[in-house]
């Protein structure tokens, strides 16, 4: 009995801590959405939108964005535009994406955050078992980055542009990268 009350209090505190203003989701909503994703050894399923994707074949940008909305939530568009910028569009994938399922150009983290990477390349890029593990890892990175933003500014990023500005330099130091990501945020249609 005592354990269930403590669990309920803990879950309530987590939910309250993550409640955000406006259309932003709560932590509980994010967990519920990610629980709608089922993975088998070779496929990913989202029953609510009748989607089945093989884990060893990189899906289209639209399919990937649909999964990101469930797995990453508010920052799904950030994942999708960085995936486009770093590994290319449908069928025109980078070497890292084709060979190592690294869709976002992630480096192997140095123990500061959780990772789903299984190894690193000789140049320290993360290697993933499949494309979905890369998405999950990028979600961990975004959680870490948003937390850093919150610690620095005392609030959440107001939009994708503010988050990209915060990532710029540490994620990618090239101004052309930032310009291209901003263009994709503004112009690419995901639906």
């Amino acid at each position: 009995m005592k354990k269930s009350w403590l669990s309920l209090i803990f879950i309530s505190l987590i939910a309250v801590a993550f409640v955000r203003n406006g259309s932003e989701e709560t932590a509980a909503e994010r967990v519920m959405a990610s629980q709608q994703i089922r993975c088998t050894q070779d496929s990913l399923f989202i029953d609510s939108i009748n989607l089945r994707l093989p884990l060893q074949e990189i899906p289209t940008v639209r399919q990937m964005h649909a999964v990101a909305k469930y797995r990453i939530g508010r920052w799904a568009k950030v994942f999708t535009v960085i995936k486009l910028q770093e590994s290319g569009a449908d069928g025109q994938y980078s070497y890292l994406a084709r060979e190592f399922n690294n869709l976002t150009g992630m480096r192997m983290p140095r123990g500061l955050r959780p990772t789903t990477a299984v190894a690193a390349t000789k140049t320290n890029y993360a290697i993933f078992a499949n494309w979905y593990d890369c998405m999950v890892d990028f979600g961990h990175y975004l959680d870490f980055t948003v937390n850093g933003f919150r610690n620095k500014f005392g609030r959440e990023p107001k939009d994708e542009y503010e988050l990209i500005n915060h990532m710029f330099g540490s994620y990618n130091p090239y101004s052309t990268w930032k310009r291209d990501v901003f263009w994709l945020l503004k112009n690419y249609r995901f639906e």
Side-chain angles (χ1 to χ4, degrees):
M1 183 76 156
K2 184 177 179 182
K3 205 175 210 181
S4 64
W5 275 103
L6 287 175
S7 297
L8 182 59
I9 291 170
F10 180 71
I11 290 170
S12 298
L13 287 173
I14 289 173
V16 168
F18 282 93
V19 170
R20 300 174 187 136
N21 47 14
S23 63
E24 298 174 30
E25 66 188 353
T26 65
E29 290 169 333
R30 184 172 173 189
V31 167
M32 286 173 54
S34 68
Q35 287 175 344
Q36 294 180 23
I37 298 172
R38 291 183 299 119
C39 288
T40 63
Q41 192 170 18
D42 62 348
S43 296
L44 174 137
F45 301 90
I46 302 178
D47 294 331
S48 61
I49 58 174
N50 198 26
L51 182 66
R52 178 195 173 276
L53 298 170
L55 289 170
Q56 294 305 322
E57 296 174 25
I58 299 172
T60 67
V61 174
R62 292 184 196 286
Q63 291 169 328
M64 193 164 298
H65 185 67
V67 176
K69 287 193 291 187
Y70 282 86
R71 178 61 197 163
I72 294 176
R74 178 181 182 201
W75 305 114
K77 196 171 182 181
V78 171
F79 166 80
T80 308
V81 298
I82 289 178
K83 180 265 178 233
L84 279 166
Q85 178 65 21
E86 295 292 334
S87 66
D90 301 341
Q92 300 177 4
Y93 305 119
S94 70
Y95 173 76
L96 281 176
R98 285 189 323 270
E99 297 300 316
F100 304 114
N101 294 306
N102 189 334
L103 307 175
T104 54
M106 293 301 296
R107 296 286 189 158
M108 191 69 169
R110 295 185 184 110
L112 298 175
R113 65 171 179 83
T115 186
T116 56
V118 294
T121 65
K122 291 178 183 175
T123 53
N124 204 39
Y125 282 97
I127 298 172
F128 299 99
N130 57 62
W131 63 266
Y132 182 66
D133 284 356
C134 179
M135 181 184 290
V136 171
D137 189 72
F138 195 79
H140 292 318
Y141 169 79
L142 286 174
D143 290 343
F144 185 79
T145 301
V146 169
N147 191 42
F149 185 97
R150 192 180 308 116
N151 289 339
K152 185 173 182 178
F153 299 107
R155 62 178 176 83
E156 299 286 317
K158 66 182 177 197
D159 58 20
E160 291 89 356
Y161 298 93
E162 195 169 52
L163 182 58
I164 295 295
N165 271 327
H166 181 68
M167 292 168 57
F168 177 63
S170 63
Y171 189 85
N172 189 309
Y174 299 105
S175 58
T176 55
W177 175 86
K178 185 170 127 176
R179 183 195 68 220
D180 292 348
V181 168
F182 277 5
W183 186 91
L184 287 166
L185 280 171
K186 183 178 179 185
N187 296 295
Y188 196 85
R189 300 293 169 245
F190 300 100
E191 308 303 327

